[in-house]
């Protein structure tokens, strides 16, 4: 009779009690809720920093454009060219200088050049290109640098000073 008691006690210990199942379910629920909360907070922070990054890129674009416009001037060899989504003008640009035959840039020098700002529909961004004096004479620009993205469109309006008055183009 004592053998039967021992066998019955060991088989009854092999199963989980209702309290244990409820306790484990509650712990898993708490862990799931905290993981969801951490994930959703992380996504909100990421979206906010992404929005701030776009705004900073737009501010950098306007800063570069305004700096180039402050240094702009009329030059007989190069004419102002403005279209609704591209602006091109003569200004002072910084070009890299290096020793002859070397690829190492020693320093940058300021010289007369051209810049082009506009909208690149392929990259969906606002770009800047520059050309030093030699490149501008040959109408060749350097690499296209995207300053801000994603941008849906950009539109420039120009006031040209003429002999009689200002005209909007």
């Amino acid at each position: 009779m004592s053998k039967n008691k021992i066998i019955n006690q060991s088989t009854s210990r092999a199963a989980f009690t209702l309290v244990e199942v409820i306790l484990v379910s509650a712990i898993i629920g708490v862990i799931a809720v905290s993981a969801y909360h951490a994930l959703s907070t992380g996504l909100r922070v990421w979206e906010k920093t992404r929005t701030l990054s776009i705004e900073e890129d737009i501010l950098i674009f306007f800063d570069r454009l305004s700096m180039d416009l402050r240094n702009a001037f009329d030059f007989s060899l190069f004419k102002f060219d403005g279209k609704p989504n591209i602006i091109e003008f003569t200004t002072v640009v910084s070009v890299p200088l290096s020793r002859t035959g070397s690829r190492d840039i020693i320093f940058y020098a300021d010289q007369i050049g051209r810049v082009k700002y506009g909208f690149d529909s392929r990259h969906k961004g606002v770009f800047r290109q520059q050309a030093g004096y030699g490149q501008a004479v040959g109408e060749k620009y350097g690499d296209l640098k995207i300053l801000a993205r994603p941008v849906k469109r950009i539109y420039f309006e120009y006031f040209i000073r003429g002999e009689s008055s200002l005209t909007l183009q």
Side-chain angles (χ1 to χ4, degrees), residues 67-85:
M67 183 178 69
D68 285 337
L69 285 172
R70 280 193 300 271
N71 292 324
F73 57 92
D74 285 332
F75 190 66
S76 61
L77 187 58
F78 308 123
K79 300 292 181 208
F80 173 86
D81 186 20
K83 296 179 181 100
N85 61 350

Side-chain angles (χ1 to χ4, degrees), residues 34-100:
S34 63
Y36 172 77
H37 180 69
L39 179 66
S40 66
T41 302
L43 288 174
R44 272 188 260 126
V45 168
W46 177 77
E47 186 64 33
K48 183 122 176 132
T49 57
R50 188 172 147 246
T51 303
L52 292 176
S53 176
I54 293 168
E55 291 171 359
E56 288 172 356
D57 289 346
I58 295 293
L59 289 174
I60 289 170
F61 162 72
F62 282 122
D63 187 48
R64 293 294 303 259
L65 179 62
S66 65
M67 183 178 69
D68 285 337
L69 285 172
R70 280 193 300 271
N71 292 324
F73 57 92
D74 285 332
F75 190 66
S76 61
L77 187 58
F78 308 123
K79 300 292 181 208
F80 173 86
D81 186 20
K83 296 179 181 100
N85 61 350
I86 291 178
I87 183 172
E88 186 176 352
F89 55 92
T90 306
T91 188
V92 176
V93 295
S94 293
V95 294
L97 296 178
S98 61
R99 292 190 180 127
T100 306

Side-chain angles (χ1 to χ4, degrees), residues 20 59 89 102 112 149:
E20 291 172 334
L59 289 174
F89 55 92
S102 173
I112 295 172
R149 75 171 67 156

Side-chain angles (χ1 to χ4, degrees), residues 14 16 19 26 29 33 52 56 75 77-78 81 89 95 119 122 126 133 142-143 161:
F16 293 112
V19 173
V33 167
L52 292 176
E56 288 172 356
F75 190 66
L77 187 58
F78 308 123
D81 186 20
F89 55 92
V95 294
F119 175 71
R122 187 172 41 126
V126 179
Y133 183 78
D143 295 336
R161 186 173 65 193

